[in-house]
Amino acid sequence: MYKIFLVEDEETIAGAIGRHLSKWGFEVRQVSDFGRVLEEFTAFSPIW
């Protein structure tokens, strides 16, 4: 399964995008702390 790390500060937009991508079989994670984006990205390790 492919992973997508979603960086979007508008919760409504991020939720809609995340739900849509999940329906297509992607594993989606949204950034929770914008001060630690790189650390969260690295921990999630999405596939290119």
Side-chain angles (χ1 to χ4, degrees):
M1 174 185 306
Y2 290 102
K3 298 179 177 182
I4 295 179
F5 186 68
L6 188 57
V7 180
E8 170 58 60
D9 64 343
E10 177 58 45
E11 193 65 37
T12 304
I13 294 171
I17 292 170
R19 284 189 300 277
H20 186 74
L21 290 170
S22 293
K23 288 179 184 177
W24 282 90
F26 293 100
E27 181 181 344
V28 181
R29 185 174 299 170
Q30 180 182 348
V31 65
S32 61
D33 181 357
F34 283 92
R36 300 190 53 205
V37 172
L38 187 55
E39 290 90 348
E40 289 186 33
F41 175 84
T42 304
F44 184 54
S45 65
I47 298 172
W48 294 91

